[in-house]
């Protein structure tokens, strides 16, 4: 029972920036000049329907006005090659608080020492109705750390330092 609570606590405590289409285990802190600090990370999910790599990315704004973001993702095409570089294409379900839900494609291109990631989603956002969610980011890997710069419909700029394991 203690292990279950520890696992649930870890899963709830983890959080994202604009992560790659493939799942990774990360934990870190991000800063957006207009919003403040974000606790963020990601985790591989222990279940894999249809043999797909699945993951959860999450992000929590550490300020007076609560904001949370979770991205459930499945890596549908993990072994693509574009001009000699590995690429991944997946599908993501973006859930937000205040309420929002978006579904759309995710794509990543692995560059030497880093990864470029893009995501789109169409769905509903409280206060805005039908909404197009988007995100783009670049992650520089400095094992076991990663430095990430990203932008999305939620913030124009986010700089993050992540620990990978």
């Amino acid at each position: 029972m203690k292990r279950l609570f520890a696992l649930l606590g870890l899963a709830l405590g983890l959080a994202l920036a604009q992560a790659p289409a493939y799942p990774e285990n990360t934990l870190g802190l991000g800063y957006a000049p207009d919003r403040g600090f974000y606790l963020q990370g990601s985790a591989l999910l222990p279940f894999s329907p249809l043999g797909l790599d699945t993951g959860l990315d999450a992000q929590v704004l550490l300020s007076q006005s609560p904001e949370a973001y979770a991205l459930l993702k499945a890596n549908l095409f993990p072994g693509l090659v574009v001009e000699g570089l590995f690429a991944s294409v997946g599908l993501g379900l973006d859930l937000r608080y205040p309420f929002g839900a978006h579904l759309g494609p995710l794509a990543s291109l692995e560059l030497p020492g880093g990864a470029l990631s893009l995501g789109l989603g169409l769905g509903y956002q409280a206060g805005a109705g039908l909404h197009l969610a988007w995100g783009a980011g670049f992650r520089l890997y400095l094992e076991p750390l990663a430095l990430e710069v990203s932008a999305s419909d939620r913030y124009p700029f986010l700089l993050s330092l992540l620990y990978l394991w």
Side-chain angles (χ1 to χ4, degrees):
M1 192 66 159
K2 287 182 182 179
R3 289 182 188 173
L4 179 61
F5 282 121
L7 182 61
L8 288 174
L10 178 63
L12 292 174
L14 292 178
L16 154 131
Q18 188 55 41
Y22 49 87
E24 294 181 309
N25 289 322
T26 68
L27 182 61
L29 192 63
Y31 178 74
D34 61 334
R35 308 290 296 218
F37 287 95
Y38 285 88
L39 176 64
Q40 57 189 64
S42 58
L44 296 168
L45 293 178
F47 56 91
S48 183
L50 305 174
L52 300 174
D53 291 333
T54 57
L56 169 69
D57 298 327
Q59 189 174 58
V60 177
L61 177 62
L62 303 173
S63 76
Q64 298 291 348
S65 56
E67 182 181 298
Y69 170 85
L71 176 67
L72 296 164
K73 58 188 176 181
N75 193 2
L76 302 177
F77 300 103
L80 300 176
V81 177
V82 177
E83 294 295 320
L85 301 171
F86 289 105
S88 297
V89 175
L91 183 65
L93 174 61
D94 161 350
L95 303 171
R96 302 175 183 194
Y97 175 82
F99 181 74
H102 305 83
L103 181 67
L106 304 170
S108 293
L109 180 64
E110 292 183 38
L111 304 171
L116 178 64
S117 302
L118 303 169
L120 284 175
L122 185 60
Y124 176 82
Q125 182 66 43
L130 186 63
H131 185 257
L132 178 66
W134 61 272
F138 176 73
R139 189 175 280 184
L140 178 64
Y141 292 104
L142 309 164
E143 299 293 335
L145 300 175
L147 183 63
E148 183 172 74
V149 177
S150 62
S152 76
D153 62 303
R154 296 179 298 120
Y155 44 75
F157 175 78
L158 180 71
L159 181 62
S160 304
L161 182 62
L162 303 169
Y163 174 73
L164 305 156
W165 76 89

